Amino acid sequence: PVASCISNDQHTFYYQVVSTDNKMKIALALSFVASAAAFSQEASRRDALAGIAAAGAALVPAAANAATGEAPRFSVFGLLGDGSSYSEGAAYGTDQAKPLYSPYSVYGEAGADSLYKADQGEYVNRKKAVLAETKKRIQAMPAYAQKKKWFEVTDELNRYMYETRGAVRYLAKTVDQKEAAAEFFQAIEKVGNSARLKKQDACLAAIDESLAKLDKFTNTI
């Protein structure tokens, strides 16, 4: 390196010309200093997060942690070991008083003490309301068929009446009811087929038949 100076009336400035090798050394030194500073900041963040986690863990009940001197707990599919261990996460029915619906379910088999009962009036009335709405939808079809709006006929069958089949099957309990339900289904299928084939007379006749079959089924429940 070469040392030089510059003078003026008030001050004298000294500077040093640094060689290329020294420049590289200085750059490396500065990079190491920057890395150390970044590492220090990252370590400070980790320390802060560790402190927060420790404070949160202190709020967890003592029962959630292993007791002093307690042996490790483990479970193998709930069949071997301790089914209540945290590593298990599922007891496969070993912690239930009654058999489960399946080994992977937390619910028991349906029975007399189940909350849901298929014959409760609430569910029966809901299905009957579906039949009442179905009748309204069928009664609107002749106007569509007379104007040859075939898409409206088939769309009416798809828009709401997909609920109809489930409601009818839910309410059909006896042999007579099931036979009446089958007749209604066949009549509705005739409506859809004749509408797709654009057969106006056949479609109108099938609509009348489906209304009659629906009334027949409704009178049996």
Side-chain angles (χ1 to χ4, degrees):
V2 179
S4 302
C5 67
I6 298 175
S7 300
N8 57 20
D9 295 338
Q10 296 179 352
H11 303 284
T12 299
F13 298 94
Y14 291 91
Y15 66 94
Q16 188 175 24
V17 179
V18 182
S19 65
T20 304
D21 293 339
N22 287 337
K23 287 181 180 179
M24 294 180 63
K25 293 178 181 179
I26 293 172
L28 288 174
L30 291 175
S31 65
F32 289 144
V33 171
S35 299
F39 178 79
S40 177
Q41 292 177 357
E42 184 64 25
S44 298
R45 288 195 208 95
R46 290 199 192 101
D47 293 340
L49 292 175
I52 295 173
L59 299 176
V60 179
N65 299 319
T68 303
E70 185 180 33
R73 293 181 295 172
F74 69 94
S75 174
V76 181
F77 300 110
L79 301 177
L80 301 175
D82 186 354
S84 64
S85 63
Y86 284 163
S87 62
E88 176 56 35
Y92 301 93
T94 59
D95 60 344
Q96 302 292 326
K98 297 181 180 179
L100 300 179
Y101 172 74
S102 78
Y104 309 101
S105 173
V106 297
Y107 302 103
E109 290 281 359
D113 57 346
S114 299
L115 296 178
Y116 170 78
K117 295 180 176 60
D119 296 331
Q120 284 183 345
E122 175 186 356
Y123 304 108
V124 173
N125 293 335
R126 190 178 300 174
K127 301 302 181 182
K128 288 182 177 180
V130 172
L131 298 185
E133 181 62 24
T134 298
K135 185 172 183 178
K136 294 179 182 179
R137 304 290 178 124
I138 297 175
Q139 289 173 338
M141 290 182 187
Y144 300 142
Q146 289 170 0
K147 296 178 181 179
K148 297 183 179 181
K149 294 183 177 180
W150 307 118
F151 176 79
E152 295 291 346
V153 176
T154 56
D155 196 43
E156 197 64 70
L157 294 173
N158 298 328
R159 185 185 303 127
Y160 177 84
M161 291 180 57
Y162 67 92
E163 292 282 355
T164 303
R165 186 178 293 270
V168 170
R169 292 192 181 281
Y170 180 91
L171 295 171
K173 304 296 184 183
T174 66
V175 175
D176 293 338
Q177 291 173 343
K178 293 179 179 180
E179 290 178 353
E183 293 176 0
F184 170 67
F185 293 152
Q186 293 173 1
I188 284 294
E189 290 172 0
K190 291 179 183 178
V191 174
N193 291 334
S194 58
R196 294 184 184 91
L197 296 174
K198 300 181 180 180
K199 296 181 177 181
Q200 188 177 46
D201 294 338
C203 185
L204 289 169
I207 292 171
D208 292 338
E209 182 183 359
S210 63
L211 281 172
K213 297 300 183 181
L214 178 61
D215 289 338
K216 178 182 177 180
F217 173 76
T218 303
N219 292 333
T220 63
I221 57 178

